[in-house]
Amino acid sequence: KKLVYLLVIAVSVCCSASGMCPTACICASDIVSCTSKNLSRVPSTLFKHIRRLDLSHNQIGILDHDWMPVLLDKLNTLIVSHNSISSISTGSFSLTPNVKYLDLSSNNLRSLGSPVFQELKVLEALLLYNNHIAQIDSAAFGGIHKLQKLYLSYNSLTHFPIELYIGKHKLSELVLLDISYNRIKSIPIKYMSLVPARHLSGIYLHGNPFYCDCTLYSMLSFWYLRHFSSVDDFKTEYTCVLQSDPKGSNKLPLLHDNYLNCSERTINGSFHAFGFIHEAQIGERLIVPCDTKISDAGTQFIWISPDDQHLEPDKVTEHFRVFPNGSLEIDEAQYEDAGLYSCIAINTKRLLNETIEVRINVSNFTVDKSHSHETFNTAFTTLAACVASIILVLLYLYLTPCPCRCKSKGRKRQLSQNNTPHPSILTSSSPLEHPADEKKSSSGKRVVFLEPVKEPKPGQNGKVRMFPSENVIAEGILKTPRTKSDSDSMNSVFSDTPFMPLS
């Protein structure tokens, strides 16, 4: 009886307990593997002390608040890849709060709402690659402040998720973001310049259909010079297409000997934005950070000036100072402080080191401004002189008084009349009697001219002598000096109304 009683108790305890290994799974110590069993739900009989649960290659479709049947507070690795998951509800991970590694890759996710991972306070790696994600809410990753690695490659994203690095829900510990092979065509480089190098070095962008852009080329070139593995390891996979070729039928190499023929000014502008070039005025205090990828505690920093002077923390040299975080301070910058500086970051525990080169330019704003002002004044004076010369030439060509030529001709005629032995008379001739070329030159005017007096021969029609008083009037007109303008003189002598002879 006692034996039967103990057997009944053992059976009842075993049946009621949730610590049995499911028949569809394989259990080994703190690991449970339930892969490729065509499961649509998670088995309810799981070890509570398991640390790794593999549910990949099954038919799980939705993650809601009760998809996990038991509390697994010791679980740190959860793999649910290669299922049919199409949506994730808020509170789906409330029974697995200590998961550090979550694999949701190769599912049917199309969007990530807000927020869906907030219960995973200690999550460090999240795998979401090979889904159909086209939209991510800005707060989708809110609450997981310890996330270090995020894999979003092979999705349908069209915009770079810059909110992961700036803004209210930024992930300050994120050192790897794989967003390769999406549908991103441009990068917000203006905001990327605000991201520290320890974050930038882990951004993988290859395989996206970028538009060919010199600013993007400059950014990636800067990353290549810094030996970021995201560019070093996938240099040939960075391509771009022309905006006139939206289908991307002709892909161009983005990092191949400046294939885009970008100007040096654009490249230097990007280098300036990313901290490779720093500007300072004479007498100004300048602080230059050592923007290194090595962010571990215990990293040592050494700066080398252009004249090979070693600058170390807690050691003041002239007007230089290096802070424990690696930043270099230059107090009252001078012209001789300009040049190429090198920051060496050394981590002895991890056997890592990195050398960063930074160019510092020192200028005098007052002097530069006066030079530019003088240059402007010189240019303005030259331009004004040219305009004045052109105006004078135009005045000379178009506004010179016409009657000068006529006045000189009138004087010559007066001299010729004074030398003739006979008195002069005024005769008229009709415009119809002039040759054709004379009509053109006279422009249809009737011209009165002087002619010597000839006596008519017998039997021949000749010119009739005018009244003696009229001769006096004509001679008076020719000899008396005029006080009127030249135009008035011309109108008086060359009258449109001819003198009519007496019959």
Side-chain angles (χ1 to χ4, degrees):
K1 289 181 179 180
K2 291 181 179 180
L3 190 60
V4 173
Y5 181 73
L6 292 173
L7 184 60
V8 172
I9 293 176
V11 172
S12 61
V13 170
C14 292
C15 293
S16 60
S18 59
M20 298 295 293
C21 183
T23 57
C25 305
I26 299 174
C27 303
S29 184
D30 57 355
I31 299 175
V32 176
S33 177
C34 305
T35 63
S36 303
K37 299 300 181 180
N38 202 27
L39 300 176
S40 58
R41 296 185 62 87
V42 179
S44 59
T45 57
L46 292 173
F47 293 112
K48 292 183 178 181
H49 59 273
I50 62 175
R51 296 181 179 274
R52 178 185 174 92
L53 176 60
D54 189 351
L55 297 169
S56 61
H57 296 277
N58 282 288
Q59 298 297 323
I60 301 174
I62 297 176
L63 300 186
D64 51 19
H65 64 282
D66 60 349
W67 80 283
M68 187 65 65
V70 294
L71 175 63
L72 301 176
D73 55 354
K74 293 184 179 180
L75 186 69
N76 57 31
T77 301
L78 178 59
I79 303 173
V80 204
S81 62
H82 292 90
N83 276 269
S84 302
I85 301 174
S86 58
S87 65
I88 302 176
S89 303
T90 305
S92 298
F93 303 100
S94 58
L95 297 178
T96 59
N98 296 316
V99 170
K100 293 183 178 180
Y101 182 94
L102 176 60
D103 187 355
L104 292 170
S105 63
S106 300
N107 278 283
N108 294 326
L109 294 172
R110 298 185 178 276
S111 63
L112 295 176
S114 166
V116 292
F117 302 105
Q118 61 180 353
E119 295 90 0
L120 303 174
K121 303 296 184 182
V122 295
L123 185 65
E124 296 178 356
L126 177 58
L127 283 66
L128 292 167
Y129 64 85
N130 196 29
N131 276 276
H132 306 284
I133 301 174
Q135 184 177 1
I136 299 177
D137 193 275
S138 59
F141 303 105
I144 50 176
H145 301 293
K146 293 187 177 182
L147 187 66
Q148 300 176 11
K149 299 180 180 181
L150 178 59
Y151 298 85
L152 287 167
S153 59
Y154 291 97
N155 276 284
S156 301
L157 296 174
T158 57
H159 295 86
F160 182 85
I162 190 63
E163 61 273 2
L164 297 177
Y165 298 98
I166 60 175
K168 180 180 179 181
H169 302 287
K170 68 178 181 179
L171 304 177
S172 57
E173 299 297 325
L174 188 64
V175 294
L176 189 148
L177 173 63
D178 186 359
I179 200 168
S180 60
Y181 293 101
N182 276 268
R183 300 178 182 177
I184 301 174
K185 296 183 178 180
S186 61
I187 299 294
I189 299 178
K190 176 182 178 181
Y191 297 102
M192 295 291 284
S193 60
L194 305 176
V195 182
R198 65 190 185 94
H199 297 299
L200 291 176
S201 61
I203 298 179
Y204 291 78
L205 298 170
H206 58 279
N208 281 284
F210 292 120
Y211 283 135
C212 294
D213 181 72
C214 284
T215 309
L216 176 62
Y217 165 80
S218 302
M219 184 190 76
L220 295 177
S221 298
F222 178 73
W223 290 6
Y224 185 74
L225 291 175
R226 292 288 304 272
H227 300 289
F228 290 174
S229 59
S230 58
V231 180
D232 273 351
D233 299 342
F234 301 94
K235 180 181 178 181
T236 58
E237 297 185 43
Y238 281 92
T239 59
C240 65
V241 297
L242 299 175
Q243 295 192 16
S244 58
D245 182 22
K247 295 182 179 180
S249 56
N250 186 21
K251 294 183 179 180
L252 304 177
L254 190 55
L255 289 174
H256 181 68
D257 299 331
N258 195 5
Y259 187 82
L260 302 180
N261 195 23
C262 299
S263 65
E264 185 177 354
R265 180 179 180 183
T266 302
I267 297 175
N268 289 339
S270 298
F271 285 0
H272 184 280
F274 282 96
F276 181 75
I277 301 176
H278 292 264
E279 304 284 344
Q281 301 295 326
I282 288 183
E284 190 177 57
R285 178 174 175 263
L286 178 66
I287 297 180
V288 181
C290 184
D291 196 14
T292 177
K293 299 179 293 184
I294 305 173
S295 59
D296 302 70
T299 303
Q300 299 177 354
F301 302 94
I302 299 175
W303 282 84
I304 300 177
S305 63
D307 56 354
D308 294 331
Q309 185 179 7
H310 287 229
L311 309 173
E312 301 178 11
D314 302 327
K315 181 181 178 182
V316 180
T317 306
E318 295 179 356
H319 54 287
F320 295 99
R321 180 185 176 186
V322 179
F323 294 100
N325 63 356
S327 298
L328 173 66
E329 178 190 37
I330 303 178
D331 190 20
E332 297 183 357
Q334 302 298 324
Y335 275 125
E336 55 270 17
D337 297 331
L340 189 65
Y341 289 75
S342 298
C343 175
I344 303 175
I346 304 172
N347 189 287
T348 55
K349 292 182 179 180
R350 299 181 57 190
L351 300 177
L352 297 175
N353 67 82
E354 182 186 11
T355 302
I356 305 163
E357 292 184 342
V358 176
R359 180 169 295 279
I360 297 177
N361 298 327
V362 181
S363 58
N364 191 334
F365 177 76
T366 305
V367 174
D368 296 341
K369 184 177 180 180
S370 62
H371 285 320
S372 62
H373 184 67
E374 291 175 1
T375 304
F376 174 77
N377 287 339
T378 304
F380 181 77
T381 304
T382 305
L383 179 62
C386 293
V387 172
S389 301
I390 294 173
I391 292 175
L392 290 175
V393 170
L394 294 176
L395 289 174
Y396 177 78
L397 292 176
Y398 295 100
L399 299 182
T400 303
C402 177
C404 292
R405 186 182 305 170
C406 305
K407 193 173 182 179
S408 62
K409 290 182 179 180
R411 290 178 180 177
K412 290 181 180 180
R413 291 173 181 172
Q414 184 177 358
L415 291 174
S416 62
Q417 291 170 4
N418 292 334
N419 294 330
T420 53
H422 299 282
S424 300
I425 62 172
L426 294 174
T427 59
S428 63
S429 64
S430 174
L432 299 174
E433 298 176 359
H434 291 297
D437 54 347
E438 256 186 48
K439 291 180 181 179
K440 292 181 181 179
S441 62
S442 62
S443 301
K445 299 271 186 177
R446 295 184 178 88
V447 180
V448 178
F449 56 92
L450 299 172
E451 188 178 23
V453 178
K454 294 183 179 180
E455 295 294 337
K457 293 182 179 181
Q460 181 182 6
N461 291 331
K463 297 188 181 290
V464 182
R465 184 185 298 270
M466 300 177 66
F467 294 108
S469 60
E470 210 163 357
N471 287 335
V472 176
I473 294 172
E475 290 180 359
I477 293 174
L478 294 174
K479 293 180 180 180
T480 305
R482 303 283 292 175
T483 58
K484 295 183 181 181
S485 63
D486 293 330
S487 59
D488 292 337
S489 176
M490 182 176 64
N491 291 333
S492 300
V493 177
F494 300 99
S495 175
D496 287 340
T497 307
F499 289 95
M500 300 301 296
L502 295 174
S503 55

